[in-house]
Amino acid sequence: MANTTSGQRGEFMYAQGIKQYQSVSTETSIMDADPHKLIQLLFEGALARISTAKGHMERKEYDRKSKMINSAIDIIGGLQDSLNMETGDLAMNLERLYDYMIRRLFEANARNDQTILDEVSGLLSQIKTAWDDIREQALAESTPEAR
């Protein structure tokens, strides 16, 4: 019995260590990130939370699922808030798409529907891919030499 408790304590300590590493790693990434990279990190964070929520849903861990979905909703809301609406149609379309994703995540949470999580994840992945593809251009435009 003592070995089981010791083993469980070891697993717990390992999990805590991983969480601390991830926290420090994330904080370092954020502190070193340019504005374009920060948006990339937000996309990655939302996608990770949706994926984690899906796992919690499969295991019927509904409280954890809700926390992950709510966190993804918060991140997508942050992406939505960061839009410069003065840039025109693209910002307006993204605002509507983010709003749609948020509504779908609320629905996925209420219905425990993994297909909705997959749908939102797919949409976010498409936007993230496009955002990743313009990184070099965005960095070139933000350097003082480009101005």
Side-chain angles (χ1 to χ4, degrees):
M1 199 70 142
N3 287 342
T4 303
T5 304
S6 176
Q8 289 172 341
R9 190 175 319 123
E11 288 175 21
F12 175 77
M13 296 297 283
Y14 176 76
Q16 288 298 102
I18 293 294
K19 285 182 182 179
Q20 288 175 344
Y21 170 78
Q22 289 172 335
S23 176
V24 168
S25 177
T26 300
E27 288 173 19
T28 301
S29 295
I30 290 170
M31 293 189 64
D32 294 340
D34 57 77
H36 192 271
K37 181 66 176 174
L38 288 173
I39 299 298
Q40 286 178 310
L41 292 171
L42 289 173
F43 283 127
E44 290 168 10
L47 288 166
R49 282 158 180 82
I50 292 169
S51 177
T52 302
K54 189 174 175 182
H56 289 310
M57 193 180 285
E58 289 170 355
R59 293 184 299 277
K60 299 184 183 343
E61 299 167 345
Y62 298 120
D63 286 345
R64 290 179 176 180
K65 171 220 48 165
S66 291
K67 286 180 185 176
M68 288 295 108
I69 289 176
N70 288 335
S71 182
I73 288 169
D74 288 343
I75 292 171
I76 294 170
L79 289 165
Q80 190 175 32
D81 291 343
S82 73
L83 293 171
N84 179 356
M85 300 308 283
E86 295 175 12
T87 60
D89 288 342
L90 179 59
M92 295 284 290
N93 291 336
L94 282 171
E95 197 278 331
R96 287 188 206 111
L97 186 56
Y98 289 146
D99 184 62
Y100 172 78
M101 286 188 257
I102 290 169
R103 286 185 282 118
R104 293 295 282 163
L105 287 173
F106 277 120
E107 186 176 351
N109 199 13
R111 294 184 179 185
N112 289 314
D113 190 330
Q114 293 181 12
T115 59
I116 297 173
L117 294 180
D118 290 338
E119 174 194 357
V120 174
S121 186
L123 292 169
L124 269 176
S125 292
Q126 289 179 32
I127 299 169
K128 182 187 180 309
T129 298
W131 190 256
D132 292 346
D133 289 347
I134 65 166
R135 177 158 177 74
E136 294 304 317
Q137 176 187 347
L139 289 176
E141 290 175 2
S142 68
T143 60
E145 300 85 41
R147 292 183 187 160

